[in-house]
Structures are given as C-alpha cells and as structure tokens.
Amino acid sequence: MAKFSVGIDLGTTHSAVSTFDLARESGRGVEQQMLPIPQLVKPGAVEEPFLLPSFLYLPNENEFPAESLNLPWKRAHADLIGEFARAHGAKVPTRLVSSAKSWLCHPGVDRTTDILPWQAPPDVQRVSPLEASTRYLEHLRSAWEHKNGAKLKEQTVVLTVPASFDASARDLTTEAAARAGLENVILLEEPQAALYSWIEAKGETFRKDLTVGDVILVIDVGGGTTDFSLMAVTEHNGEVQLTRLAVGDHILLGGDNMDLALAHTLNQQLSAAGKKLDAWQFASLTYACREGKERLFGDTRAKKHPISIASRGSALIGGTVKTELDREQLESILVDGFFPRVKPSDAPQAARRSGLAQMSLPYAQDAAVTRHLAAFLTRQAAALANSQDVPVRLEGRSFVHPTAILFNGGAFKAAPLKQRVTEVVNSWLDSEGGKPVKELGGADLDLSVARGAAYYGWVRQGHGIRIRGGTAHAYYVGVEASVPAVPGFKPPLRALCVAPFGMEEGTKAEIPPQEFGLVVGEPTRFRFFSSSVRREDKAGDMLEDAARSEDLEEVSPVETTLPGKEGQLVPVNLQALVTELGTLELQCVEKNGSGRWKLELNVRMKE
C-alpha cells in the first residue's frame, strides 16, 4: 500500500512536487509538504527551492569542470536542469531546451525524434520533446527519493496535464513518466488540480463560497500556455457535486509571450538610439525583461527596473548596453496588449499568413487572452445549448455566464492582470443582466497544481468531494468510404465516434456492429479526430466528410504495420477503452476469430 500521494506539476516553465500523507485519517487541516528540489544555480552551488524551472541545457564536453555539476544523488552528469540551465541558457540559447511540454503536444512534428533545441547548430546533440520531459521527471523523482528515502514508484503518483491535451499528448506524457521510472501514474487535468487545491485549503467552508447552480471559470495563464475550463456546482441525492462542463483549446500564449513583447519594445527603443542587438543579446534582453516584470509586479512601490545586457562588440563603451523597464510601459504592454477590453462577441483575430513560414510551435496569432476567453464562453454556450441535462442556465444568453473565477498560473501573480480579467468578464455579464463574478481567492499560483494533484490521490480513496466529467473531448477514427474508383477523386473520409464526450475513466464503449475491414500486413495510416463541442454524439455515430467539419480537430495519426497476412482485410468490431490512467485505447476485435489489435493515439501500436 502506498504511504504517500505525490502530486507532480510538470509545467511548461516550472515544475513542482507536493506530498500528501495517506496515513492521516482525515484530509481536513492536513498540511502538505512541498518538495525542496535540489538544483544548480551556478557551477558548484546547489540550492533547494520549491520550483524547478523546466529548462534543459546541453553543455559541450569541456564547458564546465565535471565536479562543478554534481547533484546530491548524481555525479558529473551530462546535462543541466533547472535555474542554472535557464540562466546560462539565456547566454547560449542554441543549447537551451525550453517549452518541451508545448512541443510534446505539437501534432505537426514527430515528438519522439531529436529536434530540440529547435534549429540548433549541427554540433549540438539534440533531444526529443519526449526525452526532455523524461529528464525533468527523472530529476523530480531523484529529488523526491533523495529527500524521503523511498521509491517514488511505490507511492500514488498523480501527474498533471493541461485539460486541453489530446489523447496523444496524454499518452506521451505517461510514456515519459514510465521512462523516468514512474509506471502507472494517474493523470489529472491542471484546472481540476487547481480547484482541488482551493477546496483543500478552504476545508468544509468551501460550501459557503459555492452554491448549487454556480459555474466556475478556471482561467490558467502560465509561462507558455493559456487554458480555460468550466465547472458546474450541482446536487445529487442532497450532496453537492462538481462537474467539469467544458475545456478550451490548447492555446500557446502565456508569460513567455509577455516577456518577448517587453523585449521587442525595449529593443526598438535601443535601435532608435543607435544600439543594435544581435540574436544572442536579444535572448539576454528577454531574460532580463522577465526578471524586471516579476520585480515590478512584486513590488508595487518600484517605478523602474534597470536592465543591463553584456556587449560583444568593441563599439559600445563600458561593455554593456543599459536601458530600463518602467511600470507605465509594463502595464500598458501587458494589461492592454494581452488583456484588452473587448466585447463577448469578439473573436481572436487571424492575420493573413505568408506563403512561407518558419517551422516552429503553433503559437496563437492573437495575443489577446480576453478575446480567446470570449470565444471560448460563446462557443461553449452554443455547444451546451444542444446538449441534454445541462446543469446551467443558458436561455437568452449569448455566452456561458460564470459566477465564480479561479485564477491559476504564474502570470496572475500580477494583480493588475487579475483585475483586468475580472473587469472585462463583469462588463460582459452586465451587458446581459448578469451578476458580478466572485473570485475564489487564496490560491498559491505557483504551487496549487502540485498541491491539488497530491490531494486528489487522497480523494481517490473515497474522501472529500470529487470532480466528475470524464473525457473532455469526443474522439473519432477516420473511416474511408466505400465508393467506386473515379480518376482524380479521393474517397471521402468519415469520422466514426469511438469515445463520446464525458466517457468516464475505467469504462469501455462498445461500437455497434458495423462492416469494418482492418488492413493488416502492410503499412497503414489511421487518422483520428477530436471535438470539444460535439457533446451528443454516441459511440458508433458516423459523421460525413470529417476533413471539412469545423467541429472536428485532427490529432496525431497512427502509422504502423499491423501483424497479419500481407494485404489482408480482416472484418473487425471496435471497442474503445478509457483507462484508469486517463489514456484512450481503440481495440479491433476480429469477427469469428481470435485476432485482436490495439491502437493508441500516438505513434505506438501493441498487439
């Protein structure tokens, strides 16, 4: 039996670990323990903060003396993870791996191939997004075991993922955990973890803050991503329940974008003054802007923050380029630029794209978080209006009206950003006769996800209140239509629903018998789709022309050769399973035979 529930927040820019003692008889008033994470802050110097920056630096062979990179559990290792990796990587960005979590969910690349650092020179030995995530988890596992003197894999381990992660990204996350020595981890959506943390902190008094009929908007703006979730407060047999209603799309927009916006503004000012920065110096400027942003938002009395960038040229006197970031600039760029006052009917703006674009992460084209939020609430109102037994009122409303907001993510440590979001949402509510939203305060924005994940391990044992909701998307597999051959015409691709919206973990969906033929013995490609708005589709429903549907988003295909006689078409029935760990499997069972094939929504296949 596990003694502890250990919550791991594997973040885009920071990671954290919290431990909950399962031996306690009651979760009320239990004081969790955040894990101090040993990491290098400079060669030969190890500190133990609660946050591990999710950065991996790949030094060359002779860059540092081997003994200067020792950790308490590891000697002379070949890479750097954490604060020193981030700080030193700002000076040598071609050797710095960042945003591995965003790359892990990028369907446009092979996430198991060594591609990071992106566009690094040939002399840098790259790693895959999967490998980078594995190394972060290995570091966290080693730190926990060093501190506790026990094996982490023997505990209940809850690993968080964005609610917007599709089945493929979730499965890759569990694979990274397994490679790091953590088998059978439990996945939990980050917004749910944040809400669990708030509930634990409030104890039984949370019932005074939430009443049946409330709709909680969890808005999470972290270092690299923005996520939205809606939770409803309902009642069943006299007991209060929480149900996850909807999640938004995965939006690559966060604190990193804000740092870049500040850096570009200051760079323009330097250029106007005749001071040109190269790519290396601009990376240093971006790092300095992040530090300046945090200092100014953290100290409301400070009006300016000095910034110095080392010079590599002989033309500049003193060897540094100096400038400053002032509060007025900071709030104008970040508050008005990323959280503008918009209408609830406004949608994110898509700029016309160039015919050629540099391959990179699919960043959001519109930096306005409030426009993305307006689109989310409006789109979900339309989706919920077509759903049965929706526990929220929608009549006469153009968007879902939240009654409470829970902020999460490091960006919201800046009070002006929280204030602007609340102001904008209240203006939307007022336009349709709604009441002002209430903030569910008191959360530790850096640590709440890890704490909520650890608390969830205790909830799974039958304690406290559990958030219900099942899968956040409906899932479909592409089925090629059977039509006569026509020159220049491709058969249309239909989408078969294999896992309906809200399918609970540990359950199986039997697809009604249909005539499906499974190609075995030769290379094949299985296409999969998901939808966060099609809530009424049942297992076995077939949608026409999947490629043209606006409600469907294509996820990573499975490209494989299934064992069997070459070119054989095996008649099969289909079953879908959502595992206890939250991953999705599609099983193909041979009719009138013993053949069974299992497909998982990434590049892997198991017989």
Side-chain angles (χ1 to χ4, degrees):
M1 294 291 292
K3 182 179 180 181
F4 301 108
S5 171
V6 181
I8 300 177
D9 173 13
L10 182 64
T12 307
T13 52
H14 288 94
S15 296
V17 180
S18 188
T19 303
F20 191 108
D21 188 349
L22 293 174
R24 304 286 181 93
E25 293 183 358
S26 171
R28 187 175 182 180
V30 170
E31 182 179 352
Q32 287 197 48
Q33 292 186 343
M34 295 301 305
L35 176 69
I37 306 173
Q39 58 195 275
L40 288 161
V41 294
K42 62 181 180 180
V46 174
E47 293 184 1
E48 299 185 1
F50 290 142
L51 293 176
L52 177 74
S54 303
F55 292 82
L56 169 67
Y57 183 78
L58 305 171
N60 65 42
E61 186 176 352
N62 301 312
E63 191 168 353
F64 303 103
E67 64 275 8
S68 70
L69 304 184
N70 291 342
L71 288 171
W73 61 85
K74 196 172 185 180
R75 303 297 176 189
H77 52 295
D79 52 43
L80 302 174
I81 293 173
E83 181 56 42
F84 181 50
R86 177 173 64 178
H88 187 70
K91 303 173 184 177
V92 194
T94 55
R95 290 185 171 272
L96 180 66
V97 176
S98 61
S99 302
K101 183 176 177 179
S102 297
W103 285 101
L104 196 67
C105 68
H106 185 2
V109 300
D110 184 348
R111 290 154 284 183
T112 64
T113 298
D114 295 339
I115 58 175
L116 301 178
W118 190 250
Q119 296 182 331
D123 63 314
V124 175
Q125 181 64 48
R126 304 188 191 194
V127 298
S128 68
L130 178 62
E131 176 61 23
S133 301
T134 298
R135 294 191 193 185
Y136 299 150
L137 289 169
E138 284 177 337
H139 188 108
L140 297 174
R141 174 186 59 78
S142 298
W144 192 91
E145 292 177 350
H146 174 75
K147 177 73 174 179
N148 292 277
K151 295 293 185 181
L152 183 53
K153 67 179 181 180
E154 297 173 356
Q155 314 305 320
T156 297
V157 180
V158 181
L159 179 59
T160 63
V161 294
S164 52
F165 258 24
D166 64 20
S168 178
R170 291 169 191 247
D171 199 57
L172 286 167
T173 302
T174 60
E175 182 174 345
R179 290 187 177 195
L182 302 174
E183 298 180 358
N184 300 320
V185 298
I186 300 162
L187 298 185
L188 178 67
E189 295 172 4
E190 290 164 4
Q192 291 191 35
L195 186 55
Y196 276 125
S197 180
W198 180 83
I199 291 171
E200 185 208 6
K202 297 291 291 187
E204 286 300 312
T205 64
F206 87 88
R207 302 175 192 274
K208 297 179 181 179
D209 294 283
L210 296 176
T211 58
V212 173
D214 274 337
V215 178
I216 306 165
L217 168 64
V218 183
I219 174 170
D220 184 344
V221 181
T225 58
T226 290
D227 273 316
F228 308 121
S229 287
L230 289 172
M231 317 277 186
V233 183
T234 58
E235 186 178 29
H236 181 69
N237 294 332
E239 294 291 328
V240 173
Q241 286 190 340
L242 294 171
T243 302
R244 194 248 289 108
L245 288 177
V247 301
D249 297 328
H250 197 64
I251 305 169
L252 290 185
L253 176 64
D256 292 347
N257 303 74
M258 299 178 192
D259 300 340
L260 282 170
L262 296 172
H264 279 295
T265 300
L266 295 185
N267 189 35
Q268 289 175 357
Q269 295 176 1
L270 290 169
S271 295
K275 299 176 182 179
K276 303 291 185 180
L277 301 186
D278 59 22
W280 178 86
Q281 290 173 307
F282 183 79
S284 297
L285 175 61
T286 304
Y287 180 81
C289 284
R290 179 189 65 81
E291 184 180 33
K293 174 192 69 178
E294 294 175 355
R295 292 284 179 88
L296 288 174
F297 276 139
D299 183 1
T300 56
R301 297 170 298 176
K303 300 299 182 185
K304 297 180 180 180
H305 179 79
I307 289 177
S308 298
I309 308 146
S311 171
R312 296 197 297 176
S314 59
L316 294 171
I317 300 174
T320 59
V321 179
K322 294 186 177 181
T323 184
E324 60 185 16
L325 177 66
D326 64 60
R327 181 172 298 280
E328 185 176 346
Q329 270 184 317
L330 177 73
E331 297 194 357
S332 174
I333 295 169
L334 300 193
V335 178
D336 296 328
F338 288 85
F339 300 88
R341 297 180 178 93
V342 299
K343 298 177 181 179
S345 58
D346 287 348
Q349 299 173 354
R352 173 176 285 187
R353 305 188 70 177
S354 172
L356 288 175
Q358 193 173 40
M359 282 295 295
S360 184
L361 287 170
Y363 294 108
Q365 290 184 275
D366 191 334
V369 174
T370 42
R371 270 195 286 270
H372 290 284
L373 176 58
F376 167 68
L377 294 176
T378 300
R379 190 180 187 203
Q380 291 303 328
L384 291 167
N386 297 322
S387 182
Q388 301 293 325
D389 302 322
V390 174
V392 298
R393 180 191 162 198
L394 295 169
E395 298 85 357
R397 297 176 175 180
S398 64
F399 65 97
V400 177
H401 285 203
T403 60
I405 290 183
L406 178 64
F407 291 101
N408 192 50
F412 287 121
K413 287 192 289 184
L417 303 187
K418 292 170 61 176
Q419 293 165 2
R420 173 56 64 87
V421 170
T422 303
E423 173 196 335
V424 170
V425 171
N426 281 338
S427 72
W428 297 345
L429 294 169
D430 183 66
S431 69
E432 294 190 350
K435 296 180 180 180
V437 73
K438 55 190 174 186
E439 180 186 347
L440 305 181
D444 188 322
L445 296 168
D446 283 330
L447 308 178
S448 61
V449 168
R451 294 178 63 87
Y455 177 74
Y456 175 67
W458 180 77
V459 170
R460 279 176 58 89
Q461 295 188 344
H463 307 289
I465 186 169
R466 188 167 180 177
I467 301 169
R468 303 291 177 178
T471 58
H473 297 76
Y475 288 97
Y476 308 78
V477 64
V479 178
E480 187 175 287
S482 178
V483 296
V486 176
F489 176 75
K490 290 184 177 181
L493 189 72
R494 296 169 177 166
L496 175 73
C497 181
V498 293
F501 186 97
M503 187 173 169
E504 294 286 349
E505 290 85 353
T507 61
K508 182 182 292 186
E510 297 282 352
I511 287 75
Q514 299 183 44
E515 290 297 325
F516 296 116
L518 181 68
V519 178
V520 299
E522 64 181 45
T524 53
R525 185 171 186 262
F526 295 84
R527 295 174 65 181
F528 289 92
F529 302 84
S530 70
S531 175
S532 62
V533 295
R534 297 191 64 92
R535 307 172 67 94
E536 295 303 301
D537 290 343
K538 304 289 192 299
D541 287 353
M542 188 80 77
L543 308 183
E544 300 294 332
D545 205 355
R548 293 173 179 251
S549 174
E550 294 183 356
D551 292 341
L552 299 182
E553 181 177 354
E554 188 161 6
V555 299
S556 299
V558 173
E559 297 187 13
T560 186
T561 299
L562 297 177
K565 185 178 179 181
E566 183 176 359
Q568 183 180 6
L569 200 63
V570 180
V572 295
N573 288 326
L574 302 179
Q575 297 174 341
L577 172 67
V578 178
T579 71
E580 288 288 350
L581 305 181
T583 58
L584 180 65
E585 298 174 354
L586 180 63
Q587 298 181 354
C588 306
V589 182
E590 184 179 8
K591 290 183 179 180
N592 304 318
S594 59
R596 180 180 290 266
W597 298 265
K598 182 169 70 174
L599 300 171
E600 298 176 341
L601 301 192
N602 70 347
V603 296
R604 296 185 299 160
M605 181 281 299
K606 296 180 182 178
E607 185 176 356

